[in-house]
Amino acid sequence: MDMLKKAYSIMFSPEKLVSYSGKAMGMLLSIVAIYAIYKIIVIAIDRTLKNRLNDDRMKMLVSLSKSVLRYAAFVIIFITILQQLGINITALLASAGMLGLAISFGSQNLVRDIISGIFIIIERRFIIGDKVKISGIEGEVTRMTLRMTAIKAEDGTSHTIPNGSIAVVQNFSR
């Protein structure tokens, strides 16, 4: 029991309590600052693109950029909190880098499809409703995502083409 009192008095000594409150304030200030920066960037994006948000592709790109910013803010907050707690994040970041490298090798096709999808939307190579010929398949574009394009052929069959494999597009609607 005496040892427990001694441990308690060491853990909750005035010096330790000041240290704990300093760390808590540091974490709180870091979270508030990162959140404020995130909100400022989101407001800047909204104000800059306010007149262009009637376009579906702009809405999608704005939504995508806000989502990326949100995840980046969460990661930065998480890393900042770990640093404030005194946890060495060097090994954690190195492990995350290795994990990211392994995942990127495994998902090359997915990344290629998404990047190609972004360029298809930005360049407006085709839109939903256009009559196109892609990869030898002719029909009407019925659905588009960042990853794939769906085409309904004249015989009624539906074809799904990964955006990363689209090299040549014949657009009969334009």
Side-chain angles (χ1 to χ4, degrees):
M1 191 69 173
D2 197 32
M3 191 185 295
L4 187 61
K5 281 185 177 181
K6 186 175 182 178
Y8 182 80
S9 66
I10 291 172
M11 275 182 41
F12 296 106
S13 68
E15 297 85 21
K16 287 289 185 179
L17 290 176
V18 169
S19 172
Y20 297 151
S21 64
K23 287 181 181 181
M25 285 300 294
M27 284 188 271
L28 183 64
L29 287 174
S30 297
I31 291 169
V32 169
I34 293 166
Y35 182 75
I37 292 169
Y38 162 75
K39 284 306 253 183
I40 289 169
I41 293 172
V42 166
I43 290 169
I45 290 171
D46 286 341
R47 286 187 181 168
T48 304
L49 302 174
K50 186 177 183 180
N51 296 333
R52 297 182 183 180
L53 286 180
N54 56 355
D55 187 4
D56 285 339
R57 68 185 173 135
M58 265 319 224
K59 286 180 185 175
M60 187 201 63
L61 290 173
V62 167
S63 174
L64 182 67
S65 64
K66 286 180 183 179
S67 178
V68 168
L69 281 171
R70 188 177 315 111
Y71 287 120
F74 283 134
V75 168
I76 292 169
I77 287 171
F78 180 71
I79 289 171
T80 303
I81 288 172
L82 290 178
Q83 282 181 321
Q84 291 287 335
L85 293 174
I87 297 172
N88 185 1
I89 61 165
T90 308
L92 179 68
L93 291 176
S95 299
M98 295 300 288
L99 180 65
L101 187 62
I103 290 172
S104 67
F105 279 127
S107 63
Q108 276 182 318
N109 289 338
L110 177 66
V111 172
R112 185 182 69 211
D113 291 343
I114 290 172
I115 291 172
S116 296
I118 289 170
F119 280 109
I120 287 169
I121 291 168
I122 289 172
E123 295 170 351
R124 295 183 64 93
R125 291 169 69 185
F126 52 85
I127 58 173
I128 295 174
D130 280 358
K131 185 166 171 53
V132 296
K133 184 174 183 181
I134 301 173
S135 302
I137 301 168
E138 189 172 330
E140 180 182 337
V141 177
T142 57
R143 197 169 122 217
M144 290 174 59
T145 66
L146 287 178
R147 195 181 64 73
M148 66 88 190
T149 299
I151 298 176
K152 188 166 189 168
E154 290 182 12
D155 63 359
T157 57
S158 182
H159 302 274
T160 303
I161 304 167
N163 289 333
S165 66
I166 297 174
V168 178
V169 176
Q170 290 176 302
N171 191 334
F172 303 113
S173 298
R174 299 181 197 186

